[in-house]
Amino acid sequence: MVKYCPQCGYPNPDDASFCIKCGSPLFSQPNQPNSPPPPPATQPLYSRMLNVYFSNLWLIIIPIIELVVALVFFAIDRAIMFYLFPTFGFYSFSVIIIVSIVIGLVESAIFSALIYALDLQANSLFLNNSRIEAGQAINVTFSRLSTILPIILLYIVINALFSLVPFISFILSGLLTLLLIHAYTMQLLGRGQGFDTFTVALDNLGKAYNVDSTSTIVMVIVMIIPFVNWLLSPYVTLLSNALAAETR
């Protein structure tokens, strides 16, 4: 038995408490089997996914972990610089650069793995209306490291190159993170594997733009604005899954 949303008409599982499309609360509907479903939703896709996000704010846990990881690595980087500069004298500048690069690469690897965990949560919520806790999502991510490793490595290399571009590095990094999110979405939906997943994701984003240009542009805008992209990354993962469903 399905439970139709009284707000948008989307068919949800019978045990669902909130609509996975628009986030509206669902109530028991005893006469529903003999009643026709409500008219189709008129609310834009990007708006519906925003409602779902605000109805499932527990998704912010992994972005908070990402923020803590970033702050820890920043503190380590500053501490090492403070220690190395007086220790290595003339060679300190080169050593500090090398150490900073290594720290940045490790941080990027952890960040990209956490993005997979977040996309796993969003994918489960969107497709099955089921909640996967942050700890469980992270454990699943570690169990699948061999599968997602090519995507992580490619992301690390490209992101390191983008960081060298002055003035617009944050824009390039945001767009790359959007591509990373969609690549994971494609993999979770069984549409891509290995290094080719980035190509599949890029191609699907082009299709998504043709189907729903506004929602695709919203994703891009969100991801290129610093701090906003961190805060709304769960929303982008939900929207990524929704757009992928529209472009099957």
Side-chain angles (χ1 to χ4, degrees), residues 18-215:
F18 295 92
C19 177
I20 63 176
K21 278 290 186 181
C22 72
S24 300
L26 300 175
F27 305 99
S28 59
Q29 301 167 22
N31 298 324
Q32 183 176 295
N34 299 322
S35 304
T42 56
Q43 194 177 19
L45 183 62
Y46 65 87
S47 180
R48 279 182 274 153
M49 289 303 103
L50 194 60
N51 290 338
V52 174
Y53 170 50
F54 283 120
S55 299
N56 297 275
L57 286 177
W58 52 270
L59 287 168
I60 199 66
I61 294 175
I62 286 181
I64 289 175
I65 295 174
E66 292 170 352
L67 179 61
V68 171
V69 168
L71 292 174
V72 168
F73 274 93
F74 176 79
I76 293 173
D77 186 56
R78 297 299 100 178
I80 290 176
M81 287 181 64
F82 181 78
Y83 170 76
L84 289 179
F85 189 79
T87 303
F88 286 87
F90 179 76
Y91 300 101
S92 62
F93 184 70
S94 299
V95 174
I96 288 172
I97 290 178
I98 294 173
V99 171
S100 295
I101 291 174
V102 172
I103 290 175
L105 293 176
V106 174
E107 183 184 356
S108 292
I110 295 175
F111 171 78
S112 55
L114 288 173
I115 285 291
Y116 181 86
L118 179 61
D119 213 330
L120 184 67
Q121 287 183 304
N123 181 265
S124 179
L125 180 63
F126 179 78
L127 292 181
N128 307 314
N129 198 26
S130 61
R131 173 172 175 170
I132 299 179
E133 301 295 341
Q136 182 184 355
I138 292 173
N139 287 335
V140 172
T141 299
F142 277 113
S143 70
R144 298 180 182 177
L145 271 180
S146 59
T147 303
I148 64 176
L149 189 59
I151 300 176
I152 291 176
L153 292 176
L154 190 57
Y155 170 80
I156 291 172
V157 172
I158 298 175
N159 195 47
L161 294 175
F162 282 171
S163 66
L164 302 176
V165 181
F167 306 116
I168 61 170
S169 59
F170 72 95
I171 295 178
L172 296 175
S173 180
L175 292 174
L176 179 62
T177 303
L178 171 58
L179 185 59
L180 175 71
I181 290 172
H182 208 62
Y184 284 148
T185 298
M186 291 293 100
Q187 190 175 77
L188 287 168
L189 293 174
R191 301 194 207 172
Q193 293 292 330
F195 292 110
D196 292 339
T197 313
F198 265 104
T199 304
V200 173
L202 189 61
D203 179 65
N204 190 262
L205 282 173
K207 293 178 181 177
Y209 180 82
N210 291 330
V211 171
D212 189 342
S213 59
T214 304
S215 295

Side-chain angles (χ1 to χ4, degrees), residues 46 170-179 181-182 201-202 205-206 208-209 212-226 228-230 232 235-237 239-240 243:
Y46 65 87
F170 72 95
I171 295 178
L172 296 175
S173 180
L175 292 174
L176 179 62
T177 303
L178 171 58
L179 185 59
I181 290 172
H182 208 62
L202 189 61
L205 282 173
Y209 180 82
D212 189 342
S213 59
T214 304
S215 295
T216 310
I217 292 172
V218 166
M219 284 203 308
V220 171
I221 292 174
V222 168
M223 291 309 299
I224 63 176
I225 302 177
V228 171
N229 53 17
W230 164 80
L232 293 181
Y235 165 65
V236 173
T237 58
L239 190 51
S240 172
L243 284 171

